[in-house]
Amino acid sequence: MPKVFYDDMIFCFSDEEDIYEPREDSYLLADVLVNILKKEQFNSIIDIGTGCGFLACIAKKNSENSKVFASDINKNAIKVALSNSSKNKLKINFILSDLFEAISGKFDLIVFNPPYLKKEDKKIKGSQNWEDNNVILRFLKQAKLHLNPHGKILILLSSLSDEKNFKEMEKRFKVKLLASRKIPWEELYVFELE
C-alpha cells in the first residue's frame, strides 16, 4: 500500500483507488498552509477536493482549535481521507460534494489544490473525476459566496494551467503570490486570494 509522509503524519491509499497522490504541488501548498497557520488563527477551514485528506489533516494538526472541513466529489477519496484523519488522530468533517454543491456556510480559509492540467494532459491517478476542464473557473465563481469577510483562499496553479484561470482569478479577487517552485516540467504557484 503506497504511503506518503508529512511532518510526523502518514497518509495511506490503495493503488486501485482513483485518488490523487500528493506530489510536488501538494507539498508546496502544504508548506505555505503551515506557514500561514503559524501566523494567523482561522475559526473555520475547508479543503476543497481533499483527495486522501493530506491538506485537511495538515490544516487540523496546525490549527487544533479550528473547525476543519474537507470535501471531494469522489466517494473513495472521502473514505480514504476519513481513514487518514483517524490514523493521524485528527477530527475533520468530510462532505461528499462537487466543489461547493453540498456545502453550506462560510469559511475563514478555503484551500484548493485543483486539477490544473488540461484534459489532454491528464494521465495522473485521481484526475478521472475531474473531466470538466472548467473546474477552476467554477471554483473561482463560487468561492466568494462561501468566504467570510476578511477570509482567504489558498489556491495552487501551474505554468501549465489555462490562461483563462489566471484572468478570472485576477478579475474576481485581490491576488498575492505567496510561493513558487520550478520543477523540471512546470512552475508551481501558490496564490492567496481575498
Side-chain angles (χ1 to χ4, degrees), residues 40-105:
E40 295 181 58
Q41 179 62 43
F42 300 94
N43 292 324
S44 57
I45 300 170
I46 188 164
D47 176 25
I48 299 290
T50 197
C52 71
F54 184 72
L55 292 168
C57 288
I58 290 166
K60 185 62 181 177
K61 181 177 181 209
N62 289 277
S63 187
E64 292 177 17
N65 295 324
S66 300
K67 288 183 183 172
V68 176
F69 299 81
S71 72
D72 205 288
I73 192 172
N74 180 345
K75 286 180 189 174
N76 288 334
I78 294 292
K79 283 189 341 196
V80 169
L82 184 57
S83 171
N84 282 326
S85 69
S86 294
K87 279 185 190 94
N88 291 295
K89 296 179 176 62
L90 299 166
K91 170 101 174 73
I92 298 167
N93 301 294
F94 292 96
I95 305 161
L96 182 65
S97 182
D98 179 3
L99 296 177
F100 295 98
E101 189 177 88
I103 294 168
S104 59

Side-chain angles (χ1 to χ4, degrees), residues 6-162:
Y6 189 89
D7 199 356
D8 60 351
M9 292 182 288
I10 184 168
F11 300 89
C12 303
F13 41 89
S14 161
D15 271 335
E16 294 80 47
E17 302 289 350
D18 181 26
I19 299 165
Y20 183 73
E21 178 180 334
R23 302 173 195 281
E24 295 90 347
D25 55 337
S26 310
Y27 286 100
L28 176 60
L29 186 51
D31 292 344
V32 171
L33 177 60
V34 168
N35 286 334
I36 283 181
L37 293 174
K38 284 179 182 174
K39 297 177 204 163
E40 295 181 58
Q41 179 62 43
F42 300 94
N43 292 324
S44 57
I45 300 170
I46 188 164
D47 176 25
I48 299 290
T50 197
C52 71
F54 184 72
L55 292 168
C57 288
I58 290 166
K60 185 62 181 177
K61 181 177 181 209
N62 289 277
S63 187
E64 292 177 17
N65 295 324
S66 300
K67 288 183 183 172
V68 176
F69 299 81
S71 72
D72 205 288
I73 192 172
N74 180 345
K75 286 180 189 174
N76 288 334
I78 294 292
K79 283 189 341 196
V80 169
L82 184 57
S83 171
N84 282 326
S85 69
S86 294
K87 279 185 190 94
N88 291 295
K89 296 179 176 62
L90 299 166
K91 170 101 174 73
I92 298 167
N93 301 294
F94 292 96
I95 305 161
L96 182 65
S97 182
D98 179 3
L99 296 177
F100 295 98
E101 189 177 88
I103 294 168
S104 59
K106 296 187 178 205
F107 303 88
D108 296 324
L109 181 64
I110 300 172
V111 181
F112 190 40
N113 184 8
Y116 55 78
L117 297 175
K118 295 176 184 150
K119 195 169 189 172
E120 60 271 17
D121 296 329
K122 291 182 180 182
K123 295 176 183 74
I124 295 173
K125 188 171 77 166
S127 65
Q128 292 79 359
N129 286 304
W130 296 94
E131 288 303 317
D132 176 4
N133 271 351
N134 290 318
V135 70
I136 296 170
L137 291 177
R138 289 192 303 126
F139 171 85
L140 293 169
K141 289 174 183 175
Q142 297 170 18
K144 226 174 212 174
L145 299 171
H146 296 276
L147 194 62
N148 279 325
H150 309 294
K152 296 181 179 187
I153 297 169
L154 290 182
I155 187 170
L156 185 132
L157 293 177
S158 154
S159 56
L160 301 177
S161 299
D162 195 312

Side-chain angles (χ1 to χ4, degrees), residues 157-172:
L157 293 177
S158 154
S159 56
L160 301 177
S161 299
D162 195 312
E163 187 61 35
K164 65 185 177 185
N165 296 319
F166 291 96
K167 288 179 181 170
E168 188 69 26
M169 184 174 70
E170 289 169 356
K171 181 175 111 179
R172 292 183 175 272

